[in-house]
């Protein structure tokens, strides 16, 4: 069905969270032997339903609606439990049945497809950084590729621009530590996807003195291919 009220319903739900509609207070729970927040836990079913509807939009090819809907819902987790918004015995992300990792991958894929090519590297990196605590924390560009069966539009253009952007972040003295480590990890992943083991070898020659994990990934890639003699040489070089 044509879901015309999804974004409006999500915004209403988030406004209710912000206004403390579901939260009553915090107290000690004898069963779990810890403090927890109490209140109306119907927010869980409501949020899962909204995530399902965003997923339907994604699968129906409505990537602009899916991108905005997923963004609102995923960033809603930033409200937290301790500030009078969510309630439950565990964290809000653990309370929902939604696969948050899958939702994040679909969101980033939809964002990719609805963003002009020149802006994609900056936007994707920004959101990977902003949502690093949602779902798995080491998500990379491969997750976007696997989020949908159709090919990634403009992939060849993007992967070149992506690598260039990540190198810029990794070489910038102003980049914060968390973003620097993320950029280095994503750069290693992108080079391996684009140029394979030989690409990692070249990257180690360029940046291995600053990012020793390039050698780790290079070794792993060689060992997966059964190239043990080459792996020994790489280990000595590292």
């Amino acid at each position: 069905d044509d879901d015309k009220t999804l974004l409006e319903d999500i915004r209403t739900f988030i406004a209710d969270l912000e206004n403390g509609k579901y939260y009553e207070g915090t107290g000690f729970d004898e069963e779990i032997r810890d403090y927890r927040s109490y209140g109306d836990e119907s927010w869980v079913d409501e949020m899962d339903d909204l995530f399902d509807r965003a997923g339907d939009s994604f699968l129906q090819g409505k990537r602009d609606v899916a991108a905005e809907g997923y963004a609102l819902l995923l960033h809603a987790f930033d409200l937290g439990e301790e500030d009078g918004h969510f309630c439950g015995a565990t964290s809000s992300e653990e309370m929902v049945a939604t696969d948050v990792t899958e939702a994040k991958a679909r969101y980033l894929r939809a964002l990719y497809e609805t963003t002009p090519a020149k802006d994609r590297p900056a936007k994707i990196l920004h959101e990977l950084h902003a949502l690093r605590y949602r779902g798995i924390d080491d998500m990379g560009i491969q997750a976007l590729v696997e989020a949908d069966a159709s090919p990634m539009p403009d992939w060849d253009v993007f992967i070149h621009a992506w690598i260039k952007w990540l190198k810029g972040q990794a070489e910038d003295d102003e980049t914060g530590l968390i973003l620097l480590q993320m950029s280095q990890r994503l750069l290693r992943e992108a080079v391996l996807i684009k140029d394979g083991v030989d690409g990692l070898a070249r990257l180690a020659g360029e940046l291995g003195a600053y990012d020793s994990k390039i050698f780790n990934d290079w070794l792993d890639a060689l060992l997966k291919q059964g190239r043990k003699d080459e792996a020994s040489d790489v280990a000595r070089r590292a």
Side-chain angles (χ1 to χ4, degrees):
D1 296 333
D2 188 10
D3 190 345
K4 296 180 179 179
T5 65
L6 173 61
L7 298 179
E8 179 184 348
D9 292 345
I10 292 174
R11 292 191 184 96
T12 299
F13 170 72
I14 292 173
D16 288 340
L17 284 173
E18 292 174 334
N19 294 329
K21 174 181 176 181
Y22 305 96
Y23 179 86
E24 292 180 4
T26 301
F28 190 78
D29 188 333
E30 291 287 348
E31 186 173 337
I32 64 174
R33 304 298 301 169
D34 200 357
Y35 285 91
R36 54 159 291 186
S37 55
Y38 290 92
D40 178 4
E41 295 182 12
S42 67
W43 70 265
V44 176
D45 289 337
E46 291 183 44
M47 196 173 201
D48 278 327
D49 178 62
L50 292 168
F51 266 118
D52 286 344
R53 290 165 63 188
D56 288 341
S57 294
F58 179 87
L59 294 173
Q60 291 166 11
K62 301 171 185 174
R63 299 299 163 87
D64 54 341
V65 175
E68 187 172 355
Y70 273 134
L72 290 168
L73 289 167
L74 289 167
H75 283 288
F77 285 123
D78 296 339
L79 292 171
E81 295 82 30
E82 298 177 359
D83 300 319
H85 302 296
F86 293 100
C87 64
T90 59
S91 72
S92 54
E93 190 173 323
E94 292 175 324
M95 291 283 289
V96 296
T98 298
D99 184 336
V100 177
T101 295
E102 179 186 57
K104 182 166 76 168
R106 285 179 169 183
Y107 162 54
L108 292 168
R109 175 62 180 264
L111 181 67
Y112 174 96
E113 293 186 11
T114 55
T115 299
K118 64 182 180 62
D119 299 326
R120 281 172 178 160
K123 272 205 167 184
I124 295 299
L125 181 59
H126 178 273
E127 287 301 277
L128 277 169
H129 182 257
L131 295 171
R132 60 191 180 278
Y133 300 125
R134 304 280 81 86
I136 62 168
D137 60 3
D138 61 347
M139 181 174 289
I141 203 68
Q142 185 63 34
L144 279 67
V145 175
E146 296 172 355
D148 190 68
S150 61
M152 291 273 281
D154 307 317
W155 173 252
D156 290 340
V157 174
F158 171 75
I159 196 68
H160 281 89
W162 182 236
I163 290 172
K164 182 178 179 181
W165 184 263
L166 293 172
K167 280 186 176 180
Q169 296 296 311
E171 295 170 355
D172 188 347
D173 293 336
E174 299 299 318
T175 303
L177 179 60
I178 292 176
L179 182 58
L180 172 63
Q181 292 173 337
M182 175 176 283
S183 297
Q184 290 173 331
R185 173 178 61 79
L186 293 169
L187 176 59
R188 298 192 301 270
E189 179 204 35
V191 168
L192 182 60
I193 290 172
K194 179 179 177 292
D195 296 321
V197 174
D198 292 340
L200 283 178
R202 290 191 293 271
L203 188 65
E206 294 177 43
L207 300 175
Y210 307 99
D211 179 13
S212 61
K213 290 185 179 180
I214 297 172
F215 289 97
N216 290 15
D217 289 0
W218 188 7
L219 279 165
D220 287 343
L222 287 169
L223 291 171
K224 284 179 182 177
Q225 296 178 14
R227 297 159 65 176
K228 295 182 180 180
D229 291 340
E230 291 176 73
S232 296
D233 290 338
V234 170
R236 282 191 290 272
R237 180 176 171 185

